[in-house]
Amino acid sequence: MKRFLTLSGLLLALSLLAPMARAAEDAASADSDPLKEKGLAKQGNLYVLPAETELNSGMKDMRALKRKVDEDSKVRRKYEDQVKMAKNAIAQIDFERRKLNEQYLKESDPTIHNQLIAKMNILTSNMNNALEFKNTADGKLHGLGEETRTKYVNQLIDLAAKADDAQKKYEELAADEDVKGGLEKVNATAKIKMKLGPSADFKQIASQLKRLRADIQSDIVPVQMENHVPSVEVTINGKLTRTMILDSGASMVCVPADMAKELELVPGPNDRTVRMQLADGKVVEGKQMILKSVRVGTFTIENVECAVLPESLIAAQPLLGGSFLNNFTYRLDADAGQLHLAQVGGTGKPATPGEKPKPDSKKAAEEK
């Protein structure tokens, strides 16, 4: 015989189930942990964010990179001193050799001629030795520590940003009513009172990262791409702004003859002749000189070596090469049209914040 549930029976069953449902709901509510839901975890008597563990791990890697950067810097200074010493020796030998050559041209006595030739041959040999010494030191300098320095800069910037985000998150959590309620509930029965982070270690790390981050000056410079060739706006000697091709393969800044004239940069007989390989592979001779300053974005580097190209290269393009770029950790993002420059307490002199290259009047007139 089948039994059917009457309406009154159904209502009675629901009335009995309602308290049970509420009890289950209250139990679930009691089991919910707003602190855990906010991503906080216990650490001693603190509730901290997972970012603290990530920062601790990242700092170990960063400190190892920093030690390597410091070691590379010491080695770099040694080779830079060797290059400087060799350049001074080359200049002195070249001066003495030219003086002897002047005497040779004026002298008619064959015996004295031979003596002068012998002396010039010795100087030539010394010149070759000095050039070989300089080239060896230059070769050891090339690329020294660049990869480690780039890794260090990127790691430091990433960790500093992570620490800033965590600090802001802690400030938000401190004002969160759910978090306050969760702590009150925990502390109602806890023998040791629990608090919201950050931990003392986090504060120390954040302070250290802030200090180290302040030692890194960085800028993002717009890059123009034409036929896959990058170029940037460069201000030379604080007065002339030109678009220069970004050429990391060039050992120094290259200045065409017409541009050198505008800068009143006139090569003399005492300026050393250097051989340069241009972007198209052509090898030319130029005169090595010094630019008072080269500015890109907010960075200014003083006393920059350059090669003044011969007048025969009528269509030569100015190149921004290693004598400027090697002062930085740099990265070209061709797709975004950006050159990222960064300096770790380097020798570069940053321009006044907000100061940008002033438009060159001649160039502006040409564009109009």
Side-chain angles (χ1 to χ4, degrees):
M1 180 177 179
K2 295 183 178 179
R3 294 184 179 180
F4 296 94
L5 188 64
T6 63
L7 178 59
S8 59
L10 178 60
L11 292 173
L12 177 61
L14 290 174
S15 65
L16 292 173
L17 289 172
M20 296 173 61
R22 281 195 297 272
E25 203 174 293
D26 292 340
S29 177
D31 290 339
S32 67
D33 188 347
L35 300 174
K36 186 182 292 186
E37 290 171 1
K38 298 292 182 179
L40 294 164
K42 281 186 179 181
Q43 186 183 92
N45 68 326
L46 293 174
Y47 279 97
V48 299
L49 291 168
E52 293 211 14
T53 302
E54 296 170 12
L55 283 168
N56 277 318
S57 176
M59 284 297 289
K60 291 178 183 177
D61 295 337
M62 195 199 73
R63 289 188 184 109
L65 288 170
K66 181 66 166 63
R67 285 193 294 271
K68 186 67 169 64
V69 167
D70 292 340
E71 290 169 5
D72 290 341
S73 294
K74 290 179 182 178
V75 176
R76 174 172 285 277
R77 283 194 292 271
K78 182 183 77 173
Y79 289 132
E80 285 174 343
D81 289 342
Q82 290 179 0
V83 170
K84 184 177 180 181
M85 180 178 67
K87 285 180 178 178
N88 291 337
I90 290 167
Q92 182 61 33
I93 293 170
D94 187 53
F95 174 77
E96 293 175 8
R97 192 169 59 176
R98 282 186 284 102
K99 283 291 186 183
L100 289 175
N101 190 57
E102 290 175 6
Q103 294 179 34
Y104 176 84
L105 294 175
K106 294 176 182 177
E107 187 59 59
S108 57
D109 189 316
T111 302
I112 297 178
H113 262 194
N114 292 335
Q115 292 173 351
L116 291 172
I117 290 173
K119 290 180 180 179
M120 283 191 287
N121 287 340
I122 292 173
L123 287 175
T124 298
S125 177
N126 292 340
M127 172 74 82
N128 291 335
N129 290 336
L131 285 170
E132 183 178 353
F133 181 83
K134 174 187 172 298
N135 291 337
T136 299
D138 273 334
K140 291 177 178 178
L141 266 174
H142 182 69
L144 176 64
E146 287 182 8
E147 184 177 350
T148 303
R149 185 172 56 178
T150 298
K151 287 181 179 178
Y152 169 72
V153 169
N154 291 337
Q155 178 85 335
L156 175 53
I157 290 174
D158 290 344
L159 287 177
K162 188 182 292 291
D164 287 343
D165 289 343
Q167 185 60 53
K168 291 175 183 176
K169 183 66 175 176
Y170 273 125
E171 291 171 3
E172 293 172 3
L173 291 170
D176 191 305
E177 293 300 328
D178 289 339
V179 173
K180 291 178 182 178
L183 283 171
E184 288 177 4
K185 183 177 178 180
V186 168
N187 288 327
T189 57
K191 293 180 180 179
I192 300 176
K193 298 299 181 183
M194 298 296 293
K195 299 178 181 179
L196 175 66
S199 66
D201 286 345
F202 173 86
K203 292 177 182 177
Q204 183 179 1
I205 288 174
S207 176
Q208 185 180 4
L209 286 170
K210 187 175 182 180
R211 177 175 56 81
L212 292 172
R213 180 65 180 87
D215 197 37
I216 292 182
Q217 300 149 358
S218 60
D219 193 14
I220 299 176
V221 181
V223 173
Q224 302 170 32
M225 298 295 299
E226 186 173 349
N227 296 325
H228 305 290
V229 177
S231 59
V232 294
E233 291 292 305
V234 181
T235 298
I236 297 179
N237 294 352
K239 62 180 182 180
L240 184 69
T241 301
R242 287 285 184 272
T243 298
M244 299 182 71
I245 292 174
L246 185 69
D247 189 352
S248 58
S251 61
M252 64 179 73
V253 173
C254 293
V255 180
D258 58 341
M259 186 172 164
K261 288 179 181 178
E262 291 185 70
L263 292 165
E264 298 179 354
L265 205 62
V266 182
N270 296 336
D271 293 311
R272 191 164 72 92
T273 299
V274 291
R275 291 171 65 82
M276 301 292 301
Q277 184 171 9
L278 302 182
D280 60 2
K282 185 177 182 180
V283 177
V284 299
E285 289 188 345
K287 287 291 186 178
Q288 183 175 316
M289 301 189 73
I290 298 293
L291 297 170
K292 292 179 182 178
S293 67
V294 176
R295 183 173 67 204
V296 176
T298 58
F299 280 111
T300 297
I301 301 295
E302 297 179 344
N303 300 319
V304 178
E305 287 185 346
C306 76
V308 176
L309 301 177
E311 293 186 2
S312 57
L313 294 175
I314 300 173
Q317 295 291 322
L319 306 178
L320 187 67
S323 53
F324 176 84
L325 293 173
N326 290 343
N327 291 281
F328 304 93
T329 293
Y330 61 93
R331 177 174 63 86
L332 173 64
D333 187 342
D335 293 334
Q338 295 177 337
L339 173 65
H340 296 252
L341 294 174
Q343 209 173 43
V344 186
T347 56
K349 177 185 175 184
T352 304
E355 183 181 354
K356 293 290 183 181
K358 297 178 181 179
D360 183 69
S361 57
K362 179 180 177 181
K363 183 179 177 183
E366 289 173 351
E367 290 177 347
K368 289 181 180 180

